[in-house]
Every structure is written in C-alpha cells, then in structure tokens.
Amino acid sequence: MASRVSVVIIFSVLVCSISVGQSTFVSNVCGTNGNYTSNSVYNKNLDSALANLSLLANTSNSGFYNASAGQDSNRVNALVLCRGDVQPDICRSCVEDSINKLRELCPNQKEAVEWYDECMLRYSNDSILNNLATKPTRALLNVKNASNTVQFNQDLRNLLDDLKGQAIQKKFATGNVSGPDFLTIYGLMQCTPDLSSTQCSDCFDDAMRDLSFCCSGKIGGHVMKPSCRLRFEVVRFFDEVIPVDAPPPRPQVPPPPPSSVPPPGKDENTTRTIIIVVVVVGLGILLLILFCIYKRKAKHRSATEKSLNDNGEDISSVEFLQYDFTTMEVATDFFSDTNKLGQGGFGAVYKGMLQSGQEVAVKRLSRGSNQGEQEFKNEVSLVAQLQHRNLVRLLGFCYEGTERLLIYEFMPNASLDHFIFDSSKRAFLDWKKRYKIIGGVARGLLYLHEDSRLRIIHRDLKASNVLLDADMNPKIADFGMARLFDIDETQANTSRIVGTYGYMAPEYAMYGQFSVKSDVFSFGILVLEIVSGQKNNCFGYGENVEDLASSAWKNWQEGNATNIIDPILRNTSESVRDMIRCIHIGLLCIQGHVAARPTMSSVALMLNSSSLTLGVPSEPAFFVHSSNDPEVSLPEDIINSMMSDKSSKAKDKSSDHSLENASSTDLYPR
C-alpha cells in the first residue's frame, strides 16, 4: 500500500456513506505499486483470486477468507474480512458488492483496499497474509462535539483500552460504557485473524493515535486500516455477537393450569413483594438525589467555565489536522516570495489559502531537529491543546521527509512591530489600543506560565511575535516552539547562545538559564516599547540616542518619566497617569535580580487594579547599544559587561535555579 499515512476527515458518516445493495460503502485507496493492462496475466490472476474469495464466502461462515493466484511478479494475494457481528448472508452480500465496486474504483492498479461498514477487501502483488499493514488510513468523524469533552475522552479511552485487551485475543470485540450527560458510548475493534496478538496490538495503538488527532471530543469516529478498524458512536451500531459454543436457549415450560386451591407459601410471597417494592423505591430516591447533586455540580462547572472564558481561556475542544505537503505547496503557491509574511529564527512564514477558502499562516520550520515523526506529532499535539484568546491558534501540521510545517490561523494585521515602530502607522495605536495589547499579552503569558496544561516558557517574546487580529486583539505567536527543536537547533543553526538582542534576560545571556522570570523580563522591555513607540536598542529623538532600558531608568530616577512616553500619546492623551504606571510596571519586570521581578500573575493584577500600590523598582540590567541586526549572538565582551557584581551573579543564579525546577519545559538556552 502507499507508504504515507493519509488521514481523510469526512464530516458526516451518514452523509458520506453510499449504499450499495445491502452493504454500505465507506472509502477506498488505489495503491501505488504499479498498474496492469487488460487481458494481462496479472489481470487474469486477479479475476481468479477474487472469484475464489466469492466462492469461499458462499461455502463458509467464518467471515475471513484469503486467496492467491499466479507466481512471482504476477502473483495476486487477496483477502476479505467481514465485521464480526454481521450475519453470514450480509457478509456474503458485502463480499460480492466490494469485489464489484473495487474493480470499478481501481480498474488497473496492482493493489487496492476498500472499506464497507460490513466488510473490508484488499489485494496486492505483495504478500499480505500474516503481515501487519497500518497504511493507508481513512478516518471518519461526527462533527458534533461532546458537551463535556474532557470526561467524554476519558470514558472513551477506558472503553477502548478494555476492548483492545479483548480484541487482541479474539480479533474482534464490542462493548459500551456510560459517558457524561447520560450518554452511552459504543465501541468496536477488529483486526484480521491472521495477525499475531502483538501485531494486532500495534495496529490498534496506531489507530488510537490517529483517532486522537481526528476525533478528540467528537461523539463519533471511525478509523480504518488494512489490518484493523476502530469505531465508536453514541448510538448502537453493531449487533449482539452470539458465541459459536454458546448453549442453546432453554425451552420455555408452559405455566401450570389455574387451581382453586391457594398455593402454599402465599404469606412468604407477600413478604418478598413488600421487600422488593421497598428496595426499588429506595433506589429510586437515591438515584434522584444523585441526579440532583450531578445537576448542581454541572451548573457550578458551567459557571466556572464561563468565568474562565471571560478571563480569556478558550476551553473548547481541539480540532487539529495533519496536512500533506502537496496541499500546503498549492495553498502557498509553492512557498512563493509574494506569499512570504516574514522570516524568524525558527523558519519562514507564508500566507496560504486552503481549498475551503480559509486563509492560514504556514510556518516552514528550519531543518535540523532529530525528532522522529511520532515524537514531532506528540509535541505538536501538546502545543495545539494550549488554547487561549491571546495565543495564536495552531490548526494543524505537516511532516513529510525533512519538511515540517505548522499551520496557524491567519492574523490580518500582521505583527505589533509593523505598527509600533512605524512613524505613520504608530499614530493608529492610541493609548486605549496599546493598553489593550499590553493586557492581552500579559494574560497570554500568564496562561502559558500558570494556567495551561503544560508550563511553557516562551523564550522569545518580542514585538514581532505579538500578532494582531482584525480587531487589533493581541495574540502571542511561537509559544512552545523550543519543544519542537533540539537544544542547539533553535536559531541560525548555531550552538552559541542566541537571542533577540535587547529582550534577553541577563541570567540567560550570562549563564544560559531560563525561567518564567526570563519571560517577565522580555515582557517588561515590550511594555516600554509599546509606551514609547521606540525599539529597545535605539531609544531617543534627535541626537540623543541610547538604549530604552537605560533611558527609562534614568528618567524615572530624575522624575521625568513622561520623557519616555511616545510624543503622539503625550500630546493628545489624557491617560498620562496610566502610561507612567505602565512604565513603572515595565521597570519592575526588567530588574537585574531574578527574584525581584514580579510573576505574570502579579503583573496582571497590577494592570487590572489602578489602586494597587506598586513596589519601588531597583536598577535594571543595562545593555550596550548596537546598531547592528537585533538578532545576533552576544559577544563575550558584552556578556562580561552586563553584570559586574559577582555576588549579584551568585544570587541570581541560585534563585533562578529554583524556578527552573518548577518548570515542566526543557530549560536549555535558545
């Protein structure tokens, strides 16, 4: 079969199914092992093998049949597997339908596989018996989400784990489990009987991974592979399976004729009836109480989720897809320069248009990571689960050969640096918009640091990594990118400490240590840039030019903090007090001592409460000004000049180390 896994998402099982006789066609794949011509030896052998399958299906009720014909390169191997719960007559009908249909769909291919609801047929010029095949893959899903996706996914996982244990032994298993909101989840797993238990288990594991990508939180899903299938629904879709060795049903004994003589033990029957009634009523009352408790908790949970949404967190289910490279080439006009949106340390970003008409941003990652395909998928899926209104949403990915792509939602207003550092566009950003951007970035960082499933340190927060949507709402980009790369492959293919000059915290530049406080430092620099409208390494107007951190501290000490404010705002705005407060918060964030900097939760509180008294900032870590490219490796002389107090170094290093241990992300320099 095809060497590449192809997962096709079909939006409705019912709509996309095509009835063929008594059987329901689902999907097929014509292989890539070459073609044959009409009246060729291979064509005759294929006819013979398929005819033998049909004959076996009509003479046996086993539900699994295989046949071969021919020799060497013209040999055809074929097999058919009926679903374990279908009746023999339905199985025979499905075999006939699938043979006829597959010859129409794949008229001259040397290999093919076809799935019906009731059976699966495949043939190939390669050996297929006793060989595990997990590709190609087809997946269907029900587009409706479960109301409680977390609980639903957990209940589904428990059901699939139980079915897997049964199916690797019996090759077929069905079952159900109670889900949230009084739903019942039905599941089915089956693999071809020629496989060993280990092969069966490996196929199910692969199918369950695909299921997590396509159908997480959905109320129905169906993954089909050449060697196995997996399906779940919230309605019963399979029949009861009666074991072959099950005892015959006991004959019913007619009741005795009525008698005028009262039967013995009448008092005992009355007592038993009373006990049964009491027990039933008691259970009913208990169930009613449990239902009331459940509804109260559900109402409380709904209120909590609404509160989380109001504070910015998006708790909706993750819809996440794998795209093939050819599709993304077409979407980006083969990664043309005209579609290029920008270039960063992790790779170039291109604008793309999917066939559905949706605009996307496609990040083509730099080559260099040694992660395998499954490792990369796992890391990307973790990042995709981080959903917040102030984070750019990851829609999917592509992994083919050395190509790795990340597909994001498209931000029509590009990045913050396109506005804040442009003399004409900056006027569009009044103080209300700038303050909204500051608050949004703070909420996004707080989510990454404290509220997300993973504790993520961004490591490269800067104006170009803050994107703006159509309403100028800020969304942090490139979060979690360090998880996708090796330690020494984060920027410009170098093992030296590399960062964005001016945003780097001193403990990273000196010791290569990262913590959440490193992001706080970068946030402080960003706040000063937003208030001043100037880049951090070239603040000033006219001939007086110096680095922004130094200038902000000097003016703060002299009581001239308004000198830092963008003249566009200073001359037109009535919110100078709020601007000075933001400068104050920025200076607190860029203090040289790690422990002295606030956490993002404290920063968010400072921004939201004007009555909260702010601490007195200490002297920040100053940076030597340079007019070169802001994204450069730091020379040794600059690193040595950044902090001269040895005791301060030791204190910073010690306090930062304790913070590193609290982080679940890898804490290597990038």
Side-chain angles (χ1 to χ4, degrees):
M1 296 297 162
S3 60
R4 185 177 69 231
V5 174
S6 177
V7 180
V8 176
I9 306 302
I10 303 177
F11 290 106
S12 172
V13 176
L14 295 178
V15 172
C16 295
S17 297
I18 304 172
S19 293
V20 182
Q22 287 184 299
S23 310
T24 306
F25 172 75
V26 178
S27 184
N28 76 287
V29 177
C30 301
T32 58
N33 273 10
N35 298 333
Y36 63 86
T37 58
S38 300
N39 299 320
S40 64
V41 175
Y42 191 89
N43 189 11
K44 295 177 181 178
N45 290 336
L46 176 59
D47 290 339
S48 177
L50 295 179
N52 287 336
L53 285 182
S54 178
L55 178 62
L56 290 170
N58 281 283
T59 57
S60 170
N61 293 335
S62 69
F64 176 65
Y65 316 101
N66 66 89
S68 299
Q71 300 293 331
D72 301 328
S73 61
N74 288 316
R75 183 176 178 83
V76 177
N77 301 295
L79 63 80
V80 66
L81 173 66
C82 289
R83 216 172 67 191
D85 61 311
V86 302
Q87 297 301 314
D89 58 333
I90 298 178
C91 176
R92 284 190 287 270
S93 176
C94 187
V95 172
E96 294 298 327
D97 291 340
S98 60
I99 290 174
N100 296 331
K101 187 73 174 179
L102 194 57
R103 296 304 297 270
E104 294 177 11
L105 297 173
C106 304
N108 62 346
Q109 282 78 15
K110 285 192 173 182
E111 62 175 358
V113 60
E114 181 183 39
W115 295 276
Y116 278 70
D117 264 352
E118 298 80 10
C119 67
M120 180 274 297
L121 168 68
R122 59 183 292 223
Y123 68 83
S124 175
N125 55 340
D126 292 330
S127 176
I128 57 177
L129 204 61
N130 303 314
N131 287 329
L132 173 63
T134 59
K135 301 175 183 178
T137 297
R138 286 292 181 265
L140 288 77
L141 61 84
N142 188 315
V143 295
K144 185 177 180 181
N145 291 318
S147 58
N148 186 343
T149 56
V150 175
Q151 186 61 49
F152 187 90
N153 286 339
Q154 183 60 55
D155 294 335
L156 173 61
R157 181 71 193 201
N158 293 338
L159 172 63
L160 296 182
D161 287 342
D162 181 60
L163 292 179
K164 175 188 169 186
Q166 303 176 47
I168 60 177
Q169 301 297 329
K170 300 179 180 179
K171 313 306 180 187
F172 178 80
T174 59
N176 64 80
V177 67
S178 296
D181 299 325
F182 304 102
L183 292 175
T184 299
I185 308 173
Y186 297 89
L188 178 150
M189 299 178 80
Q190 183 179 26
C191 64
T192 56
D194 58 307
L195 298 182
S196 66
S197 297
T198 301
Q199 290 173 317
C200 221
S201 178
D202 291 343
C203 192
F204 289 143
D205 287 342
D206 200 68
M208 290 166 73
R209 281 191 293 268
D210 290 338
L211 194 72
S212 66
F213 280 116
C214 78
C215 310
S216 177
K218 305 298 182 182
I219 62 170
H222 192 179
V223 175
M224 294 157 288
K225 295 178 175 293
S227 290
C228 66
R229 73 163 63 196
L230 182 161
R231 183 179 177 185
F232 75 93
E233 305 284 351
V234 293
V235 294
R236 187 182 180 95
F237 61 91
F238 52 79
D239 296 326
E240 182 180 0
V241 180
I242 302 176
V244 176
D245 55 353
R250 297 177 61 184
Q252 294 184 349
V253 179
S259 173
S260 59
V261 180
K266 182 176 181 181
D267 292 340
E268 294 179 4
N269 290 338
T270 302
T271 303
R272 186 182 301 111
T273 301
I274 294 174
I275 293 174
I276 292 173
V277 170
V278 171
V279 171
V280 171
V281 172
L283 287 175
I285 294 173
L286 179 61
L287 289 174
L288 181 61
I289 293 172
L290 291 176
F291 176 74
C292 293
I293 294 174
Y294 169 80
K295 293 297 289 184
R296 178 175 296 180
K297 288 185 176 181
K299 183 177 180 181
H300 174 73
R301 182 169 61 249
S302 177
T304 302
E305 291 177 353
K306 183 180 185 301
S307 175
L308 287 172
N309 277 328
D310 291 342
N311 286 308
E313 183 177 354
D314 181 3
I315 57 174
S316 62
S317 62
V318 179
E319 294 188 14
F320 186 62
L321 302 178
Q322 180 175 359
Y323 295 86
D324 62 73
F325 186 70
T326 302
T327 299
M328 301 320 300
E329 278 188 314
V330 173
T332 59
D333 193 19
F334 295 89
F335 301 99
S336 64
D337 290 339
T338 56
N339 283 339
K340 191 171 183 179
L341 299 175
Q343 177 76 40
F346 291 112
V349 182
Y350 299 85
K351 181 179 179 180
M353 178 76 75
L354 300 180
Q355 290 183 348
S356 63
Q358 181 182 6
E359 290 183 316
V360 294
V362 182
K363 181 179 284 290
R364 193 176 191 181
L365 299 183
S366 305
R367 300 175 185 179
S369 174
N370 293 324
Q371 283 186 325
E373 180 178 359
Q374 194 56 50
E375 292 172 304
F376 182 76
K377 286 181 180 180
N378 291 340
E379 292 293 345
V380 171
S381 65
L382 287 176
V383 174
Q385 294 177 56
L386 303 179
Q387 294 199 81
H388 189 277
R389 68 177 63 176
N390 294 117
L391 300 181
V392 176
R393 189 157 59 97
L394 182 61
L395 303 176
F397 72 99
C398 170
Y399 188 112
E400 290 188 22
T402 59
E403 293 288 352
R404 281 167 298 159
L405 310 177
L406 298 176
I407 296 87
Y408 294 95
E409 61 177 326
F410 178 70
M411 294 288 104
N413 281 319
S415 55
L416 175 61
D417 60 323
H418 284 81
F419 285 87
I420 201 69
F421 301 141
D422 186 283
S423 57
S424 59
K425 292 182 180 179
R426 191 164 70 246
F428 177 72
L429 293 179
D430 57 23
W431 176 243
K432 183 178 180 181
K433 291 187 177 71
R434 298 192 198 197
Y435 193 73
K436 182 173 74 170
I437 292 171
I438 292 172
V441 174
R443 288 191 297 271
L445 273 184
L446 174 60
Y447 173 79
L448 291 176
H449 288 181
E450 300 184 20
D451 299 331
S452 65
R453 308 181 189 204
L454 309 169
R455 174 170 289 188
I456 295 290
I457 299 173
H458 189 285
R459 307 189 181 195
D460 198 20
L461 181 68
K462 55 186 177 181
S464 61
N465 277 338
V466 176
L467 306 186
L468 303 171
D469 67 11
D471 298 320
M472 300 299 289
N473 294 307
K475 293 178 181 266
I476 300 174
D478 276 5
F479 58 90
M481 289 293 290
R483 298 183 64 92
L484 307 176
F485 280 80
D486 296 334
I487 298 169
D488 296 334
E489 296 294 346
T490 56
Q491 191 168 328
N493 296 324
T494 176
S495 60
R496 294 175 297 171
I497 295 177
V498 179
T500 304
Y501 191 63
Y503 293 93
M504 292 168 56
E507 67 272 12
Y508 168 55
M510 296 186 65
Y511 309 119
Q513 295 178 343
F514 251 95
S515 70
V516 291
K517 295 296 186 73
S518 309
D519 279 351
V520 172
F521 183 95
S522 302
F523 175 78
I525 294 293
L526 181 62
V527 169
L528 295 178
E529 289 183 330
I530 293 173
V531 176
S532 66
Q534 298 291 311
K535 293 184 178 180
N536 64 72
N537 62 341
C538 56
F539 174 81
Y541 300 95
E543 297 181 356
N544 298 320
V545 178
E546 57 185 332
D547 70 272
L548 180 56
S550 299
S551 182
W553 173 252
K554 182 175 68 176
N555 282 281
W556 179 268
Q557 289 288 84
E558 296 172 353
N560 298 321
T562 54
N563 291 341
I564 301 299
I565 299 174
D566 188 341
I568 296 175
L569 300 177
R570 193 165 62 223
N571 297 335
T572 60
S573 177
E574 298 178 357
S575 303
V576 173
R577 182 179 177 182
D578 290 338
M579 299 176 199
I580 294 177
R581 184 177 177 86
C582 283
I583 295 174
H584 192 166
I585 294 172
L587 289 172
L588 289 173
C589 291
I590 64 171
Q591 296 176 98
H593 293 291
V594 177
R597 297 174 206 153
T599 62
M600 286 311 303
S601 57
S602 298
V603 170
L605 188 60
M606 295 175 193
L607 291 170
N608 292 327
S609 177
S610 58
S611 62
L612 184 68
T613 302
L614 304 184
V616 179
S618 60
E619 183 175 314
F622 296 133
F623 286 81
V624 177
H625 170 69
S626 172
S627 60
N628 296 329
D629 184 355
E631 296 192 10
V632 295
S633 59
L634 295 178
E636 186 177 355
D637 58 337
I638 293 180
I639 293 176
N640 293 333
S641 70
M642 291 177 66
M643 298 190 80
S644 56
D645 187 349
K646 294 183 179 179
S647 62
S648 295
K649 294 179 184 178
K651 183 178 180 181
D652 285 350
K653 184 174 182 180
S654 173
S655 62
D656 191 54
H657 179 70
S658 64
L659 288 166
E660 288 180 355
N661 292 336
S663 174
S664 64
T665 57
D666 49 331
L667 296 173
Y668 296 101
R670 41 178 306 228

